[in-house]
Amino acid sequence: MEQDNAAAAGRFEELFDAHYAELTRFATRRVGPDAAGDIVSGTFLVAWRRFAQLPAEHPRAWLYATARHLIANELRACARRERLSAKAAVTAEAVVDDHAGQVGEHLRVRAVLAGLSPADQEVLRLAEWEALDVAEMAIVLGCSRVAVKVRLHRARRRFAARLLATEESGAPTTSRPSMPSIVAEGTRS
């Protein structure tokens, strides 16, 4: 038994000496010098574990096929790590951002919207929050497309003027709705 192991170890050393350099070049061209050593050592580890299954007539081809599979695994792992890093960077960026300004702006927009007439509020919500087109809005409001366009244009103009007034004053609007009316309006981010 020890003789068989010694003979197998000798054949494995010959295989290693004969193909190590070329497998290293092969792996380096595909995954770079940093990962090439891991690919080659992994290839020879598989070869040692499956030495009895190694084809005697084409061991070089078998080694290349094994290295190719390990390279594919390495490339998939790199792609996963890059996706994870990108996702973590986006998440970290989102966590670091201060949302107080956005919340304040949302409250200001809602307060201005609440100060408009119910008809203006409805046409603006249908257009902006529900993203209905003019034809759909005409059906919902029970009027012509031309009437919807006119109502929407006027409502946007009134809304913009009031929003600009709150911006110029630098203070929040005085006609700020109560919390229940904001909740009743629905939410949209």
Side-chain angles (χ1 to χ4, degrees), residues 3 9 12-13 17 28-29 37 45 58-59 70 77 81 91 102 105 107 111 113 136 138 152-153 163 170 172 180:
Q3 253 181 346
F12 181 79
E13 286 178 15
D17 291 340
T28 301
R29 285 191 295 272
L45 177 63
H58 297 291
L70 293 173
R81 282 191 299 270
T91 303
Q102 287 179 330
E105 184 65 16
L107 290 174
L113 183 65
E136 293 169 324
L152 184 58
H153 172 73
L163 191 63

Side-chain angles (χ1 to χ4, degrees), residues 32-163:
D34 293 337
D38 292 338
I39 298 296
V40 174
S41 64
T43 300
F44 282 107
L45 177 63
V46 172
W48 176 251
R49 288 180 179 165
R50 297 184 180 175
F51 196 68
Q53 301 165 355
L54 194 71
E57 59 277 353
H58 297 291
R60 180 176 180 236
W62 188 91
L63 288 171
Y64 270 86
T66 303
R68 205 172 128 261
H69 290 295
L70 293 173
I71 288 168
N73 289 342
E74 176 65 22
L75 294 175
R76 280 192 297 274
C78 285
R80 278 192 305 270
R81 282 191 299 270
E82 287 174 8
R83 285 192 309 270
L84 183 60
S85 294
K87 187 176 181 181
V90 168
T91 303
E93 193 175 286
V95 169
V96 171
D97 288 345
D98 183 15
H99 299 291
Q102 287 179 330
V103 170
E105 184 65 16
H106 283 277
L107 290 174
R108 187 169 74 94
V109 166
R110 285 181 180 273
V112 169
L113 183 65
L116 296 175
S117 72
D120 284 351
Q121 289 181 38
E122 183 65 18
V123 74
L124 288 171
R125 283 189 186 114
L126 290 174
E128 303 303 326
W129 289 6
E130 307 304 331
L132 297 180
D133 63 23
V134 173
E136 293 169 324
M137 288 171 39
I139 293 168
V140 171
L141 296 174
C143 60
S144 69
R145 290 179 185 186
V146 173
V148 168
K149 288 181 183 180
V150 170
R151 287 173 64 180
L152 184 58
H153 172 73
R154 289 178 181 166
R156 283 179 173 160
R157 193 175 62 211
R158 284 188 282 270
F159 177 80
R162 290 187 182 188
L163 191 63

